[in-house]
């Protein structure tokens, strides 16, 4: 009776070992066949000067895109993300607020950044043409706009 129990226990252990080995093998195969993804592809670093919005990349794949925005200027700045087919330097003025532009198509924004301040925000963007602007009064007119493409 004792010998029978011992045999049964060994059989269970062997089965368990086989199950574990099979599972590990399957996981490894899945990981190897997954397409390589660049984790930085959807991270855009934006530096704001007092007259420009500088991006480290201006074309990114669609999906969740993280903007790391740094105010390198001497005044309060911001970044507003507009989805538009209008050229970056042809955004319409806001008739109600002199010096500011229309934010039609806005997908989101950083909010105000003090000089040296940095902020990160993430937007889920579909393919299309975008323009990034700073909409502090007159800043767009000083050149704070840039084209951005989501593919
Ligand atoms: Cu600005």
């Amino acid at each position: 009776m004792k010998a029978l129990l011992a045999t049964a226990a060994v059989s269970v252990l062997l089965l368990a070992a086989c199950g574990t080995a099979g599972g590990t093998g399957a996981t490894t195969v899945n990981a190897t066949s997954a397409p390589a993804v660049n984790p930085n592809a959807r991270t855009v670093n934006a530096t704001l000067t007092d007259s420009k919005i500088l991006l480290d990349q201006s074309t990114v794949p669609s999906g969740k895109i993280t903007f790391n925005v740094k105010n390198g200027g001497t005044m309060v700045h911001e970044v507003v993300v507009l989805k538009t087919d209008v050229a970056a330097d042809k955004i319409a003025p806001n008739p109600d607020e002199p010096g500011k532009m229309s934010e039609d198509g806005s997908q989101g924004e950083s909010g105000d950044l003090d000089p040296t301040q940095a902020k990160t925000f993430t937007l889920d963007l579909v393919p299309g043409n975008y323009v990034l602007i700073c909409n502090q009064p007159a800043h767009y007119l000083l050149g704070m706009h840039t084209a951005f493409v989501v593919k």
Side-chain angles (χ1 to χ4, degrees):
M1 192 62 186
K2 249 186 178 173
L4 254 179
L5 277 175
T7 309
V10 168
S11 301
V12 169
L13 282 174
L14 283 174
L15 281 173
C18 284
T20 307
T24 307
T27 306
T28 306
V29 168
N30 284 343
T32 321
S33 62
V37 174
N38 175 1
N40 298 319
R42 292 191 179 92
T43 298
V44 177
N45 295 302
T47 303
L48 311 180
T49 73
D50 289 336
S51 62
K52 281 189 176 70
I53 297 176
L54 304 170
L55 305 179
D56 69 338
Q57 54 180 345
S58 56
T59 303
V60 298
S62 62
K64 286 204 163 67
I65 296 160
T66 298
F67 294 90
N68 295 324
V69 185
K70 164 105 174 142
N71 185 352
T74 63
M75 317 176 245
V76 170
H77 293 297
E78 65 177 347
V79 169
V80 184
V81 179
L82 308 177
K83 185 173 190 303
T84 177
D85 286 324
V86 174
D89 60 352
K90 297 285 191 290
I91 299 294
N94 180 337
D96 300 322
E97 296 185 79
K100 296 183 76 168
M101 313 313 288
S102 162
E103 293 189 4
D104 281 355
S106 174
Q107 305 295 302
E109 61 178 84
S110 64
D112 292 354
L113 281 85
D114 291 325
T116 74
Q117 194 183 358
K119 259 188 201 178
T120 296
F121 65 104
T122 300
L123 301 175
D124 202 352
L125 300 181
V126 298
N129 295 318
Y130 294 77
V131 175
L132 275 51
I133 70 169
C134 174
N135 214 8
Q136 294 294 316
H139 288 202
Y140 175 89
L141 302 168
L142 290 171
M144 292 195 75
H145 51 70
T146 191
F148 185 70
V149 177
V150 177
K151 291 210 165 173

